Structures are given as C-alpha cells and as structure tokens.
C-alpha cells in the first residue's frame, strides 16, 4: 500500500522518531499445517508489516548565535533522519508499539528503536 494524492493516509503526520506500519496478514497455520486459534498472532513478541509513513527523525536543537541577531530567524530544530523508509518491510517488537485503527484498518505506531529489521527493495 502506497500513499497517493487521493489517499486519506497522506493527511497523517507521524511525529518524531515514530513509524506508521501496516501489518501483514498473519498466517493462521503453522509451517506443518496446523491451524492456530484466533489471537495467537497477537501474542507474538514480534510482528511484521510495511512502512507507510515515517516521522522526521530524532530532534536535535540548533545552537543559537547571539552575535548574529541581524540574520533571519531559521528553524530552531534539526532532525537526524530515520533508517526506515516508506515501502520497507519491517520486523518490530509488538511490546514497544501502539496499535491504532484508522479508517477501519489496523496500523501500528512504532518507535525507531523497536524496529529490529528492515527489508528494502533497492530498485524502488
């Protein structure tokens, strides 16, 4: 799922070092073919999904220079960007994330430090 101009997700603004992730549909069977009861996937410690939006990153303050009051006032905060990018497949810790429902769909808001692994298609 990608954000398009007519998509309602483009209105969302992710704050700070957080990432909005759309979880992939968990399998209801094990590798050997046994069916799992409902709720087992939610109790897992890790989850995977696609990165939909990212925040600006980690905020770092910009030191002010009192000698140069003649300069125009610039933005007081700069950001260290996040590693995650839109479209990446992320494996993350469920315990460090917040589950939300938006427009009838389930998403996770995950801080960068709860993401364990990213898979990126470099051709994009």
């Amino acid at each position: 799922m990608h954000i398009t101009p007519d998509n309602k997700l483009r209105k969302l603004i992710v704050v700070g070092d957080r990432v909005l992730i759309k979880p992939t549909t968990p399998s209801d069977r094990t590798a050997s073919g046994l069916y799992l009861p409902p709720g087992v996937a939610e109790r897992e410690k890790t989850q995977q999904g696609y990165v939909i939006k990212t925040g600006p990153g980690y905020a770092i303050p910009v030191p002010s220079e009192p000698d140069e009051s003649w300069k125009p006032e610039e933005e007081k905060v700069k950001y260290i960007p996040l590693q995650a990018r839109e479209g990446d497949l992320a494996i993350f810790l469920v315990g460090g994330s917040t589950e939300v429902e938006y427009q009838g769909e389930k998403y996770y808001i995950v801080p960068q430090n709860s993401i364990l692994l990213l898979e990126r298609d470099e051709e994009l």
Side-chain angles (χ1 to χ4, degrees):
M1 170 179 253
H2 292 285
I3 296 176
T4 59
D6 59 334
N7 192 327
K8 292 178 177 73
L9 292 175
R10 70 178 173 85
K11 295 179 184 178
L12 297 177
I13 298 171
V14 182
V15 179
D17 70 330
R18 292 171 183 84
V19 177
L20 181 68
I21 295 178
K22 171 97 172 116
T24 57
T25 307
S27 175
D28 59 348
R29 287 194 209 187
T30 64
S32 62
L34 297 173
Y35 282 96
L36 297 171
V40 169
E42 282 82 26
R43 288 195 302 267
E44 293 293 321
K45 293 182 190 230
T46 61
Q47 175 70 272
Q48 72 177 11
Y50 288 97
V51 176
I52 302 298
K53 288 192 95 166
T54 63
Y58 297 98
I60 54 172
V62 177
S64 63
E65 299 170 12
D67 301 353
E68 300 176 355
S69 60
W70 52 270
K71 280 188 173 179
E73 186 122 351
E74 293 181 22
E75 188 177 328
K76 295 282 188 209
V77 179
K78 299 287 181 187
Y79 295 95
I80 298 173
L82 303 178
Q83 285 182 295
R85 293 188 211 156
E86 291 178 13
D88 289 350
L89 177 66
I91 296 175
F92 59 94
L93 295 170
V94 175
S97 63
T98 304
E99 184 180 323
V100 295
E101 189 168 319
Y102 181 73
Q103 301 284 330
E105 294 197 44
K106 180 172 151 181
Y107 296 94
Y108 286 98
I109 299 172
V110 183
Q112 169 90 8
N113 63 3
S114 291
I115 296 176
L116 303 174
L117 182 73
L118 292 170
E119 179 183 290
R120 181 172 297 148
D121 187 4
E122 291 295 335
E123 297 173 353
L124 294 178

